[in-house]
Every structure is written in structure tokens, then in C-alpha cells.
């Protein structure tokens, strides 16, 4: 799969590196693609990785991972050219600056806003309920972290499910895109536990069934 990874921070660095290691063509989109850190990230990721501007990364991509802050996402996506038919893999949590609340919820979500702003793209909410540490390593003892995802397009969901399983996660299909408002709230609980209740980033949600 040709994957554009927009943003080279904790999330973009973790998922982009791992997908490149799986042999996917990963194109990191960055404001500073020639900086030493990003040259190093590309080198570590292997021969199927490269870096450039966000627009260059998106051009040939089938999947576009949004690993950038919510506040800049609309502007960044408006500047990268044609998004027709591309899967926008949205792991964004629109938190307030103090990390204590969501900026909106209950009746809306970042994912639903993106879908309304960029109707020719296919938004899949995914990976937002996981920490960057868990994105690096999905394994907890003899269990694998659950990865909750939702979207309105079955084919796009199948692509994301495969990309999830390849990294060792246990995918949980949560239904249509409107459920992203609940996934963003679940991420809010995670942030509260990790930061304010002392759990840290080496913990993850697991969906159990019997
Ligand atoms: N960290 C987590 O555990 C976690 C978990 C789940 C979801 N998320 C979500 O994932 C997203 C990324 O989080 P992160 O922790 O990876 O953040 P981060 O470490 O701060 O990285 C964000 C990256 O976005 C790019 N960026 C920053 N400001 C930008 C701007 N003004 N315009 C364009 N690009 C900009 C930067 O890449 P360049 O410098 O290369 O341009 C930066 O490295 C957020 O929306 C967050 O809600 C994070």
C-alpha cells in the first residue's frame, strides 16, 4: 500500500516506520523533510521510505495518515491537492490545550468534520485510542492491544484492518463513521488515565468477548 504519513512526530514516526518495515511504500510528509531527524527516520525505516512535503507525500498515496495536530489539519489537507478516493486515516484527538477535555463531542467529531470538509476522500477513524508507545509495540504479555476503528466505506475499512493486523493489533470494527465521536471520547478517557491518573503510555484498551 502507498501510504502518506503527514507529520513525523510520535505517531507518524511510529506507524510510518513500522509500515515501511512491512514493505509498504511510506512517504513522510513534513515541513522540514531535509532536517537531520527526518533523514534519520527515513534511513531507519528502510528502502521503501522517503520524505518530502505533505503535497508530495499525498500525490500518489492510497492512504493518508493524519499524524498532525487537529488545529492545522484543515489547512494542511487544503494545501495538498487532490484527495479524491484517498483514505484519510484519522487518528486525531481534538483535545483542549490543557489535555483535560475534547473541544467538541456528543454530536460531532474530528472525523465527521473532516468528512464534511473533504467529501471526495474516505475518512476512517483509527488508532486514536492508542498511545504512541503502543503504536510502536502492540503486544502486552500474551494479549494484543485492541484497535477500534469506524468508517462508512467497507473497502476502506478492509484496507485499514489489514494495515492494523500487520502491526499486531486486534482490530475492532465499531461501525459507521458517526461512532468516531465515541472513539474520540474513549481516547479522552485514555489521556486522562495516562496523564492524570498515572498509568503512562504503556497501557492499552482490550475488547474481551465470550
Ligand atoms: N501521541 C499519542 O500518543 C497520540 C495517540 C493517539 C492519537 N494522537 C494524535 O496524533 C496526532 C499527532 O500526535 P503526535 O503525538 O504524533 O504529535 P507530535 O509528536 O507533536 O507530532 C506532530 C507532527 O505534526 C507536524 N506538525 C506540527 N505542527 C504542524 C503544522 N503547524 N503544520 C504542519 N505539520 C505540523 C510535525 O511534523 P513535521 O515537523 O515533520 O512537519 C510534528 O512532528 C495528533 O492529532 C494527536 O491527537 C496522538
Amino acid at each position: 500500500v502507498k501510504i502518506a504519513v503527514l507529520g513525523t512526530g510520535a505517531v507518524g514516526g511510529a506507524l510510518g516506520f513500522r509500515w515501511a518495515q512491512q514493505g509498504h511504500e511510506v512517504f513522510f510528509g513534513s515541513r522540514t523533510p531535509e532536517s537531520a531527524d527526518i533523514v534519520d527516520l527515513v534511513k531507519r525505516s528502510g528502502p521503501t521510505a522517503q520524505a518530502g512535503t505533505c503535497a508530495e507525500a499525498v500525490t500518489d498515496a492510497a492512504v493518508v495518515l493524519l499524524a498532525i495536530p487537529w488545529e492545522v489539519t484543515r489547512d494542511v489537507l487544503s494545501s495538498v491537492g487532490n484527495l479524491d478516493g484517498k483514505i484519510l486515516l484519522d487518528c486525531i484527538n481534538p483535545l483542549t490545550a490543557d489535555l483535560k477535555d475534547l473541544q467538541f463531542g456528543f454530536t460531532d467529531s474530528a472525523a465527521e468534520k473532516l468528512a464534511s470538509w473533504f467529501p471526495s476522500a474516505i475518512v476512517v477513524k483509527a488508532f486514536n485510542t492508542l498511545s504512541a508507545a503502543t503504536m510502536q509495540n502492540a503486544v502486552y504479555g500474551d494479549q494484543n492491544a485492541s484497535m477500534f476503528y469506524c468508517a462508512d466505506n467497507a473497502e476502506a475499512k478492509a484496507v485499514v484492518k489489514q494495515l492494523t493486523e500487520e502491526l499486531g493489533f486486534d482490530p475492532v470494527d465499531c461501525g459507521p463513521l458517526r461512532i468516531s465521536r465515541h472513539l474520540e471520547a474513549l481516547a479522552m478517557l485514555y489521556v486522562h488515565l495516562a496523564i492524570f491518573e498515572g498509568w503512562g503510555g504503556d497501557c492499552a484498551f482490550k475488547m474481551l468477548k465470550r
Side-chain angles (χ1 to χ4, degrees), residues 107-186:
T107 58
D108 203 1
S109 61
E112 290 164 278
K113 286 185 189 293
L114 288 171
S116 71
W117 295 337
F118 303 101
S120 69
I122 304 163
V123 178
V124 179
K125 191 82 199 180
F127 291 101
N128 73 304
T129 57
L130 297 163
S131 65
T134 304
M135 293 176 194
Q136 289 175 17
N137 179 2
V139 179
Y140 285 82
D142 60 356
Q143 305 219 73
N144 291 16
S146 292
M147 201 292 285
F148 301 99
Y149 66 106
C150 64
D152 291 333
N153 181 300
E155 286 174 24
K157 272 183 172 178
V159 171
V160 172
K161 180 171 186 274
Q162 185 198 326
L163 289 173
T164 300
E165 288 173 331
E166 286 176 7
L167 301 188
F169 292 97
D170 167 25
V172 179
D173 184 344
C174 297
L177 192 68
R178 68 178 292 281
I179 300 303
S180 55
R181 55 187 75 167
H182 306 313
L183 294 187
E184 291 173 17
L186 185 60

Side-chain angles (χ1 to χ4, degrees), residues 7-11 30-31 38 67-69 72 91-93 128 130-132:
T8 58
V11 168
S30 171
R31 295 165 298 173
I38 295 172
I68 51 181
V72 306
C91 67
I92 293 170
N93 290 310
N128 73 304
L130 297 163
S131 65

Side-chain angles (χ1 to χ4, degrees), residues 34-124:
E34 276 147 31
S35 69
D37 284 353
I38 295 172
V39 169
D40 179 61
L41 173 63
V42 169
K43 196 173 164 197
R44 281 188 290 111
S45 299
T48 61
Q50 61 182 317
T53 65
C54 287
E56 287 168 341
V58 165
T59 301
D60 290 328
V63 175
V64 180
L65 174 70
L66 308 176
I68 51 181
W70 169 245
E71 286 68 21
V72 306
T73 301
R74 189 174 188 173
D75 285 348
V76 170
L77 285 179
S78 298
S79 72
V80 295
N82 189 355
L83 294 172
D84 291 0
K86 295 183 192 291
I87 297 172
L88 298 183
L89 196 42
D90 166 28
C91 67
I92 293 170
N93 290 310
L95 305 179
T96 54
D98 62 7
L99 308 181
K100 291 190 173 170
D101 280 301
L102 291 168
Q103 295 176 29
F104 43 81
F106 292 111
T107 58
D108 203 1
S109 61
E112 290 164 278
K113 286 185 189 293
L114 288 171
S116 71
W117 295 337
F118 303 101
S120 69
I122 304 163
V123 178
V124 179

